[in-house]
């Protein structure tokens, strides 16, 4: 507590008229609105997103600009003090809690607030990206999450976005992913974090174009969007729309595809990067081995992080980059029991059939002759294209031969191509009549599926079969069902095919169907479109490489589809290895089998295979390997040479970029002594939902969100059983109710498939019981109709919780504050104080108890309102005697109370602001040493300097009177009971809140 006798007029601080923090109430066009977020614009003042409070506009969303509308921020000195006649002062306690919940955490708060409240296991390594993003090490929340395949990057992204939302920095979110993982990503963010994203795939875009006026920017109609990178990069219209929008957070998945300067993906990234505050890039293979290209990717996050794009080290970007592997110490220790260890990669030898041996003979004699021989083809790489096609299937070989014949026949030099054309026609004849009966690999595949894995009628076993060639996939999908013993309708339904030629809707449908336990699909035959980002491990732990890619990276990516976080059974991998007795034949033992062994070795010793070759790109690895084969080298020679030093000793990865593929970010930051206090592991959650993990970061009056929601329902809907058809299962904690119109309006942001399939506009099933929510999610995966769970977990971000919080807030009249009889010796005013920066974001948030003693002209402040309320006996068991008190004397003191509060804030402002100021000043010093020879570079430097300045606290604090604690008039000095509270103690050190 601190004594203050100075007025606000003596502070010399100017008023920031355009500061409208989230949670504040404003009057626009004679209606009351609740501020959701605010952001300055160049021409129209402050842009304010609001939701209606007064009756005529209740629950309507709107956007106003202070330069176009008169926006009246309610004067706290005009606060009306009202009595609360609700039982146990429930209305007042709910109102105070709602204000706490709706007020954004200040930017200086670095600790995680919500990590324990979501549907995810409490794994500290998955929290560290969010901790890094909020650490202040970078000017803005920007980072590259480069964890290897399978560690849970989507969960890490979801937690980071949730923390940004709680800080008021996640209202407008854009997620950009490959088209085949749109629904998967959308599904994870909603079911795990209650973050809804509107999906703008091809179908979604068509629907939106029907709903909004022609020419309207679709990104202004939806605040949180997920869209395919292919949709955005190929449409000039969307490029124009994106240039008109500023985002709070942008996520770009598989961001290694952004590297090539001049590509459409790169242009898209360059459009988005300067138009967002937070930027999260994710990739398990984040660069191509070229220092300059990787520097360009990092430059999207922070243009001044790397001074010389051709010479830098991992330490230069450690504030922007985090990478772990499965064998990283923190991952290995925390994942015990969460992720089954992978089994070995089995090579299944398939001796070539007589028909296949003839093709091997032709390839060895004509196309790929041994030392001293000459290939019939004038294109050195083409014979290996032929070989790879044949090693895939006779169907792929026929397609490759046919395409080459057509190409050569179009040339003007028939004599120069005559020999090659003749050789191609001989191959075409050899492959023309081949069927599955002539395929050694096919026979082995059927044997492995039926006898070793157990796929067949009456079995639940599933397997994913990979091939590089579309023709092979189509042929397998056609002949496999009958070979596995499926008949009739079962034969049509047991196999699904997926490749890049399918639409995004078709690809997502394949992934969803394969992940649902109750669907008849048993085999997914897929190309490498499924090797990046797709979860195939839900119902499957078996993978077969029908043909093996000539790249360690691609093998690892394929294996990572079933070897990933959440896999309950040891993943098993098989590769079909076609062998030949023909002398000089380059069968699968020459390349494929050796690569399988090297990938397995790298995975177990290094945790990843991508740095083994030093090429970091699947395409580059394959091209280099073929070049080595043309020079007469084996697969192992360049790999062994790569690891051998000048003296023949193993020196490990010694290239310039090796540091970036080592243990970057592996050392956890020093633990915050308060971090995790009160945390509740998922396995220990009370099944009744009666308690939850209350974070020490969040000031709370209620001990759980569940208790807050219970009391809010009783207050807002005392007749909820009739009006909402509310049903509550006390044993399981399940709530079932019919959503009212204003809640249905909010649900439009939820995934459309989810709304339709679960009929949420008619009835909602929600719970605080995480075990029940997890069980519902698992049951959905076992369904044949939908992967969306019927029961959703209520988190602080859930639309139901936000809706009730807002209902509580508007329960108080315009600029009203309740009077609460409590164990106090004199009136104590509860005051909220918020400092903001030029962007309208809170930098300091204080919750105070303030007393003004008129006789001595003395003001006292306690800056821990939550603790004060507990000492004063404000809680669910306090009695409300409904004694009405004359508010006039209390109102007379309001100006002095507010002056006291503001003077107190000004006294401590610099100390509270220091954690925010120091990182900004460090960044400005680094910016000062950054030299750019171009005009564009200098403009970027000026823009970043202005941005740094805009993050600092500015102007006077926004003050709001929340309530007044008044003494009990019936209590005498000698009465028994808890001691009354008086603000007379010496000054306390500033609290974190």
């Amino acid at each position: 507590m601190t004594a203050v006798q100075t007025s606000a007029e003596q502070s010399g601080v100017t008023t920031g008229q355009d500061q409208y923090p989230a949670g504040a109430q404003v009057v626009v066009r004679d209606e009351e609105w609740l501020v959701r977020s605010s952001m300055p614009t160049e021409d129209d003042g402050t842009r304010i997103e609001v939701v209606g409070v007064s009756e005529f506009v209740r629950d309507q969303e709107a956007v106003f600009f202070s330069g176009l509308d008169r926006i009246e921020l309610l004067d706290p000195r005009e606060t009306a003090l009202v009595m609360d006649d609700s039982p146990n002062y429930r209305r007042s306690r709910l109102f105070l809690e709602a204000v706490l919940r709706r007020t954004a955490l200040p930017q200086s708060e670095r600790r995680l607030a919500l990590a324990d409240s979501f549907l995810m296991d409490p794994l500290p390594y998955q929290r560290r990206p969010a901790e890094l993003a909020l650490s202040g090490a970078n000017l803005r929340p920007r980072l590259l999450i480069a964890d290897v395949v399978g560690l849970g990057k989507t969960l890490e992204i979801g937690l980071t976005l949730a923390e940004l939302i709680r800080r008021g920095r996640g209202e407008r979110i854009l997620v950009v992913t490959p088209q085949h993982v749109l629904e998967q990503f959308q599904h994870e963010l909603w079911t795990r974090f209650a973050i809804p994203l509107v999906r703008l795939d091809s179908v979604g875009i068509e629907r939106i174009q029907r709903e909004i006026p022609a020419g309207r920017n679709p990104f202004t109609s939806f605040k949180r969007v997920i869209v395919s990178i292919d949709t955005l990069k190929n449409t000039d219209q969307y490029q124009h729309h994106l240039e008109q929008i500023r985002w709070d957070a942008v996520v770009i998945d598989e961001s290694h595809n952004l590297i090539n300067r001049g590509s459409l993906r790169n242009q898209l990234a360059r459009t988005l990067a300067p138009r967002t505050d937070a930027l999260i890039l994710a990739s398990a293979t984040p660069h191509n081995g070229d220092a300059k290209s990787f520097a360009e990717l990092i430059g999207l996050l922070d243009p001044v992080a790397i001074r010389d794009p051709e010479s830098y080290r991992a330490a230069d970007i450690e504030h922007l980059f985090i990478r772990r592997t499965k064998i990283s110490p923190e991952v290995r220790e925390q994942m015990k029991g969460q992720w089954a260890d992978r089994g070995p990669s089995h090579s299944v030898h398939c001796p070539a059939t007589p028909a296949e041996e003839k093709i091997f003979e032709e390839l060895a004699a004509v196309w790929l002759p041994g030392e001293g021989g000459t290939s019939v083809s004038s294109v050195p790489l083409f014979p290996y294209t032929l070989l790879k096609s044949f090693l895939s299937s006779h169907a792929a070989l026929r397609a490759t031969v046919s395409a080459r014949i057509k190409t050569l026949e179009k040339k003007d030099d028939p004599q120069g191509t005559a020999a090659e054309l003749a050789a191609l026609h001989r191959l075409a004849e050899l492959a023309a009549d081949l069927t599955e009966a002539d395929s050694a690999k096919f026979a082995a595949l059927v044997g492995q599926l039926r006898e070793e894995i157990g796929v067949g009628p009456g079995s639940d076993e599933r397997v994913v079969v990979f091939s590089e060639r579309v023709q092979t996939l189509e042929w397998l999908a056609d002949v496999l069902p009958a070979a596995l013993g499926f008949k009739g309708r079962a034969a049509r339904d047991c196999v699904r095919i997926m490749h890049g030629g399918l639409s995004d809707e078709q690809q997502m449908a394949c992934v969803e169907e394969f992940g649902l336990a109750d669907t008849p699909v048993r085999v997914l035959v897929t190309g490498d479109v499924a090797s990046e980002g797709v979860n195939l491990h839900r119902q499957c732990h078996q993978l077969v490489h029908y043909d093996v890619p000539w790249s360690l990276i691609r093998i690892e990516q394929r294996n990572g589809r079933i070897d990933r976080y959440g896999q309950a059974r040891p993943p098993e991998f098989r590769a079909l290895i076609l062998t030949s007795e023909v002398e000089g034949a380059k069968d699968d033992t020459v390349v494929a089998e050796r690569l399988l062994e090297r990938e397995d070795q790298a995975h177990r010793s290094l945790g990843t295979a991508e740095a083994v070759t030093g090429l970091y790109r699947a395409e580059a690895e394959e091209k280099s390997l073929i070049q080595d084969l043309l020079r007469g080298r084996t697969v192992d020679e360049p790999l062994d040479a790569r690891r051998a030093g000048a003296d023949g000793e193993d020196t490990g990865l010694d290239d310039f970029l090796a540091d970036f593929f080592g243990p970057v970010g592996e050392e956890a930051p020093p633990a915050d002594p308060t971090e995790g206090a009160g945390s509740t592991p998922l396995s220990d959650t009370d099944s009744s939902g009666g308690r939850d993990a209350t974070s020490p970061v969040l000031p709370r009056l209620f001990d759980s969100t569940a208790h807050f929601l219970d009391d809010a329902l009783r207050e807002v809907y005392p007749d909820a059983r009739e009006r909402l058809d509310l049903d509550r299962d006390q044993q399981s904690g399940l709530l079932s109710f019919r959503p009212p119109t204003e809640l249905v309006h909010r649900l439009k942001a939820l995934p459309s498939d989810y709304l339709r399939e679960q009929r949420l506009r008619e009835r909602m099933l929600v719970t605080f019981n995480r075990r029940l929510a997890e069980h519902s999610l698992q049951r959905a995966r076992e369904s044949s109709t939908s992967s969306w769970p019927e029961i959703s977990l209520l988190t602080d971000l859930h639309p139901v919780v936000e809706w009730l919080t807002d209902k509580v807030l508007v329960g108080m009249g315009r600029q009203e504050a309740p009077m609460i009889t409590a164990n106090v010796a004199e009136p104590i005013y509860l005051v909220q104080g918020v400092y903001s920066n030029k962007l309208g974001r809170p930098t300091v948030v204080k919750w105070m108890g303030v007393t003004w003693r008129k006789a001595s002209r003395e003001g006292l402040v306690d800056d821990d309102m939550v603790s004060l309320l507990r000492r004063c006996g404000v809680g669910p068991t306090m009695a409300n005697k409904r004694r009405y008190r004359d508010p006039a004397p209390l109102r007379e003191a309001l100006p002095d109370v507010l002056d006291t509060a503001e003077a107190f804030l000004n006294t401590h402002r610099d100390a509270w602001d220091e954690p925010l100021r120091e990182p900004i000043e460090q960044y400005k010093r680094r910016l000062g040493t950054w030299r750019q020879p171009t005009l564009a570079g200098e403009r970027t430097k000026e823009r970043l300097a202005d941005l740094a300045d805009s993050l600092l606290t500015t102007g006077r604090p926004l003050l709001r009177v929340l309530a007044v604690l008044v003494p009990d008039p019936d209590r005498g000095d000698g009465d028994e009971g808890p001691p009354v509270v008086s603000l007379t103690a010496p000054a306390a050190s500033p609290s974190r809140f």
Side-chain angles (χ1 to χ4, degrees):
M1 277 74 81
T2 304
V4 181
Q5 292 179 313
T6 334
S7 69
E9 286 76 9
Q10 295 172 322
S11 66
V13 182
T14 59
T15 302
Q17 294 293 339
D18 282 348
Q19 294 181 9
Y20 304 95
Q25 287 191 338
V26 295
V27 177
V28 187
R29 303 177 188 178
D30 202 34
E31 298 292 343
E32 294 174 58
W33 308 83
L34 189 71
V35 176
R36 287 282 182 80
S37 65
S38 63
M39 179 182 295
T41 67
E42 294 182 1
D43 302 318
D44 298 321
T46 302
R47 182 185 190 276
I48 306 172
E49 293 191 6
V50 296
V51 62
V53 171
S54 52
E55 188 65 32
F56 185 69
V57 294
R58 182 161 297 169
D59 287 311
Q60 293 186 25
E61 297 177 346
V63 175
F64 297 115
F65 294 86
S66 62
L68 304 177
D69 279 289
R70 184 174 182 272
I71 301 175
E72 180 185 353
L73 193 63
L74 300 180
D75 185 350
R77 287 165 173 77
E78 301 299 323
T79 302
L81 304 180
V82 298
M83 289 300 298
D84 176 2
D85 59 359
S86 64
N88 310 110
Y89 290 102
R90 183 176 64 201
R91 187 178 309 130
S92 298
R93 291 185 295 107
L94 286 168
F95 171 70
L96 292 171
E97 175 77 4
V99 174
L100 288 169
R101 287 173 173 272
R102 270 307 191 190
T103 301
L105 291 176
Q107 291 192 110
S108 55
E109 179 53 77
R110 309 300 189 193
R111 298 171 297 172
L112 301 190
L114 304 174
D116 291 316
S117 62
F118 299 117
L119 205 59
M120 60 185 293
D121 295 308
L123 298 173
Y125 89 84
Q126 290 184 341
R127 300 180 183 184
R128 290 222 290 117
E131 292 169 344
L132 179 60
L134 300 173
S135 67
N138 188 25
L139 188 64
R140 293 172 286 176
R142 292 181 159 222
L143 76 158
L144 168 60
I145 303 176
D147 287 344
V148 300
V149 174
L151 263 64
K153 288 188 287 295
T154 303
L155 296 177
E156 294 168 356
I157 291 169
L159 182 57
T160 304
L161 290 177
E163 291 290 339
L164 291 174
I165 291 170
R166 186 59 185 86
R167 285 159 172 76
R169 305 179 73 171
E171 280 298 301
R172 299 192 59 81
I173 295 174
L174 174 67
V175 176
V176 183
T177 74
Q179 61 185 13
H180 54 277
V181 297
L182 277 178
E183 183 166 304
Q184 176 181 294
F185 206 108
Q186 181 192 36
H187 189 277
E188 287 287 281
L189 259 65
W190 169 253
T191 58
R192 299 291 185 184
F193 303 96
I195 300 176
L197 300 173
V198 175
R199 194 172 79 218
L200 296 187
D201 53 21
S202 56
V203 175
I205 289 173
E206 290 179 6
R207 184 182 67 251
I208 288 169
Q209 289 175 338
R210 293 194 299 267
E211 295 177 357
I212 65 177
R216 174 82 174 271
N217 189 335
F219 300 115
T220 62
S221 301
F222 302 97
K223 295 191 299 182
R224 295 171 184 167
V225 171
I226 183 167
V227 63
S228 160
I229 191 168
D230 296 303
T231 297
L232 289 185
K233 75 179 179 64
N234 291 326
T235 310
D236 293 338
Q237 174 187 1
Y238 288 102
Q239 180 82 8
H240 170 72
H241 287 324
L242 289 173
E243 291 173 352
Q244 311 305 314
I245 296 289
R246 293 200 63 85
W247 302 92
D248 291 315
V250 168
V251 176
I252 304 180
D253 196 19
E254 304 297 343
S255 56
H256 54 271
N257 294 317
L258 308 176
I259 285 179
N260 297 326
R261 180 179 285 271
S263 69
L264 293 175
R265 287 184 173 90
N266 183 271
Q267 293 174 22
L268 171 65
R270 289 179 169 277
T271 298
L272 292 172
R275 291 173 172 82
T276 181
D277 177 42
L279 178 60
I280 304 172
L281 306 179
S283 173
T285 54
H287 72 65
N288 59 4
D290 178 72
K292 195 171 183 180
S293 294
F294 189 57
E296 183 178 335
L297 188 66
I298 294 299
L300 295 173
L301 301 170
D302 182 0
V304 304
I306 296 174
R307 296 185 182 181
D308 183 353
E310 296 182 352
S311 177
Y312 55 95
R313 305 302 298 177
D316 298 332
I317 62 167
E318 60 185 0
H319 60 298
L320 297 165
F321 181 47
I322 189 166
R323 176 179 179 79
R324 284 77 53 87
T325 72
K326 190 178 179 180
I327 68 169
S328 297
E330 67 168 339
V331 178
R332 185 176 61 248
E333 291 303 312
Q334 295 167 26
M335 291 296 288
K336 288 180 178 178
Q338 304 288 340
W339 188 351
D341 289 334
R342 67 183 261 181
S345 295
H346 297 288
S347 294
V348 180
H349 280 215
C350 312
T353 65
E356 290 173 326
E357 288 286 43
K358 290 181 179 179
I359 295 177
F360 269 124
E361 290 173 356
E362 181 73 11
L363 290 174
V366 178
W367 297 90
L368 293 163
E371 187 174 352
T374 303
S375 173
V376 71
S377 178
S378 60
V379 179
L381 298 182
F382 179 69
Y384 282 97
T385 301
L386 271 180
L387 174 65
K388 289 193 68 184
S389 296
F390 172 56
L391 292 175
S392 180
S393 71
H394 57 273
L397 176 62
R398 284 198 292 258
T400 301
V401 169
S402 176
R404 181 64 175 167
I405 289 174
K406 290 179 181 178
T407 299
L408 294 180
E409 287 178 342
K410 292 178 181 179
K411 289 194 173 183
D412 297 330
D413 182 19
Q415 186 174 358
T417 61
E420 185 173 356
L421 274 169
L424 287 168
H425 283 295
R426 285 197 301 273
L427 275 178
E429 291 174 4
L430 290 172
D433 298 325
L434 296 186
T435 68
E436 59 269 24
D438 301 299
S439 172
K441 276 190 174 183
F442 183 78
L445 175 66
V446 173
Q448 290 291 313
L449 294 182
R450 297 192 67 168
E451 298 165 18
E452 300 297 329
I453 299 175
V455 177
S459 170
D460 292 331
E461 285 293 338
R462 299 193 181 195
V463 64
V464 54
V465 179
F466 270 99
S467 172
E468 290 188 303
R469 307 297 169 133
V470 172
Q471 296 81 12
T472 302
L473 296 174
E474 293 174 340
W475 167 66
L476 287 174
D478 185 49
V479 299
L480 256 182
L484 294 174
F486 290 96
K487 298 179 180 179
R489 181 171 181 176
R492 295 194 302 271
D493 296 338
C494 69
V495 176
R496 288 291 177 270
I497 182 173
M498 179 175 167
H499 54 74
L502 302 179
S503 69
D504 49 0
E505 283 287 311
Q506 291 170 317
Q507 292 182 37
M508 286 186 289
C510 287
V511 174
E512 180 180 19
E513 198 171 359
F514 190 68
L516 297 175
D518 201 31
T519 58
V521 60
R522 292 295 175 264
V523 181
L524 175 66
V525 291
T526 180
D528 287 321
V529 67
S531 67
E532 291 186 353
V534 178
N535 293 333
L536 300 177
H537 67 296
R538 301 298 185 192
Q539 312 298 333
C540 175
H541 71 292
Q542 301 280 0
L543 184 148
V544 176
H545 299 279
Y546 194 82
D547 51 46
V548 178
W550 287 10
S551 159
L552 296 174
I553 290 174
R554 190 70 77 199
I555 295 171
E556 180 177 71
Q557 288 174 334
R558 283 185 178 184
N559 290 347
R561 296 313 98 210
I562 64 168
D563 182 20
R564 54 197 307 108
Y565 168 65
Q567 175 59 270
R569 295 177 290 178
E572 296 184 21
F573 311 103
R574 292 172 173 82
L576 304 182
I577 304 298
L578 186 62
T579 64
S580 173
E581 297 292 333
V582 173
E583 184 178 354
K586 290 181 171 56
D587 60 13
D588 275 325
T589 62
V590 174
V591 175
E593 192 166 33
R594 296 303 304 137
L595 289 178
L596 285 169
E597 293 174 4
R598 298 304 289 254
E599 186 275 339
D600 191 63
Q601 293 169 6
H603 179 84
R604 298 181 189 283
S605 61
L606 302 174
T608 179
E610 60 211 355
V612 172
T613 64
L615 297 173
Y616 307 105
R617 278 290 177 271
E619 298 80 4
E621 284 188 335
E622 179 174 339
K623 185 176 180 180
S624 176
L625 188 151
I626 294 176
Q627 294 286 0
D628 286 327
L629 292 175
L630 287 170
R631 298 186 189 102
R633 305 178 78 186
T634 68
V635 171
D636 291 298
E637 284 176 329
L639 296 181
D640 292 338
R642 170 85 181 141
R643 296 191 60 83
D647 298 328
E649 296 181 356
D650 187 355
T651 59
L653 307 176
D654 58 355
D655 68 298
F656 165 63
L657 290 172
D659 285 346
F660 298 109
F661 287 81
V664 176
E666 200 167 278
E667 294 297 325
D672 190 310
T674 63
E675 184 68 38
S679 65
T680 305
L682 181 59
S683 59
D684 297 330
T685 305
D686 184 355
S687 62
S688 68
R691 70 171 187 263
D692 64 5
T694 302
S695 166
V697 179
L698 298 173
R700 292 282 175 83
L701 301 184
F702 286 72
D703 60 1
S704 73
T705 301
H707 289 162
F708 169 70
L709 183 136
D710 284 345
D711 272 9
L713 276 173
R714 293 189 184 97
E715 178 65 26
V716 178
Y717 289 100
D719 54 351
R721 186 174 294 276
E722 289 74 30
R723 288 186 61 188
L724 303 180
D725 192 19
L726 176 68
D727 182 49
R728 184 193 306 266
D729 187 325
Q730 296 293 346
Q731 184 174 3
S732 68
L734 177 66
L735 289 175
S736 171
F737 67 98
R738 182 180 61 252
T741 303
E742 64 263 29
L743 178 55
V744 170
H745 178 70
R746 293 180 181 228
L747 298 182
K748 69 178 183 178
L750 270 59
S752 58
D753 290 347
Y754 175 53
L755 283 171
R756 182 183 65 257
E757 293 170 7
Q758 298 300 332
R759 305 175 68 178
L760 296 185
R761 297 180 182 89
E762 301 171 23
R763 193 156 201 85
M764 296 193 72
L765 302 177
V766 295
T767 186
F768 286 102
N769 184 340
R770 282 188 273 182
R771 283 198 189 94
L772 179 61
E774 184 71 52
H775 178 69
S776 178
L777 182 57
Q778 183 62 37
R779 192 167 61 244
R781 295 192 183 113
E782 298 171 356
S783 165
S784 60
T785 56
S786 174
S787 62
W788 294 103
E790 61 177 353
I791 302 172
S792 63
L793 180 69
L794 287 169
T795 73
D796 284 1
L797 306 182
H798 197 285
V800 170
V801 177
E802 291 188 335
W803 160 66
L804 276 173
T805 302
D806 287 347
K807 294 288 284 186
V808 167
L809 282 174
V810 302
M812 287 288 171
R814 180 183 295 188
Q815 209 167 359
E816 290 182 346
M819 296 182 291
I820 306 170
T821 301
N823 295 325
V824 295
E826 56 192 331
I828 300 178
Y829 297 76
L830 305 182
V831 180
Q832 177 196 45
V834 179
Y835 280 109
S836 298
N837 58 29
K838 291 180 181 179
L839 300 178
R841 301 194 186 107
T843 54
V844 176
V845 178
K846 304 303 293 182
W847 308 92
M848 300 170 284
V850 182
T851 291
W852 174 255
R853 294 173 178 170
K854 184 177 180 179
S856 61
R857 305 295 297 172
E858 180 184 43
L860 297 165
V861 177
D862 185 324
D863 72 337
D864 190 346
M865 182 184 81
V866 173
S867 176
L868 172 66
L869 287 168
R870 293 194 178 111
R871 298 199 311 273
C872 296
V874 176
T877 61
M878 68 187 302
N880 186 349
K881 300 178 182 179
R882 294 179 173 84
R883 291 292 187 92
Y884 290 87
R885 176 183 298 273
D886 180 11
L890 298 172
R891 285 200 62 187
E892 289 177 2
L894 279 178
D896 294 313
V897 166
L898 292 166
D899 286 349
T900 298
E902 185 166 1
F904 172 80
L905 293 174
N906 290 334
T907 299
H908 295 285
R909 167 177 162 169
D910 288 343
W912 291 326
D913 213 23
E914 184 60 30
L916 182 66
R917 186 186 308 112
E918 180 56 28
I920 294 174
E921 293 302 323
Q922 289 180 2
Y923 186 87
K924 290 174 68 176
R925 287 193 292 271
R926 182 152 50 95
L927 187 62
T929 64
W930 186 57
R931 297 288 180 262
Q932 280 294 307
T934 65
L935 179 60
E938 285 303 315
R939 288 174 177 170
T940 297
K941 184 175 180 178
E942 292 175 4
R943 177 176 60 82
L944 292 173
D946 291 342
L947 174 64
D949 288 335
S950 71
L951 299 178
L952 293 167
T953 299
T954 184
R956 288 172 59 180
L958 174 77
L959 299 174
R960 182 179 181 185
V961 178
L962 304 177
V964 184
L965 306 181
V966 295
D968 186 346
D970 294 336
R971 176 166 176 160
D973 292 339
D975 290 352
E976 295 183 359
V980 296
V981 175
S982 180
L983 304 189
T984 58
S989 60
S991 75
R992 292 295 298 268
F993 298 127

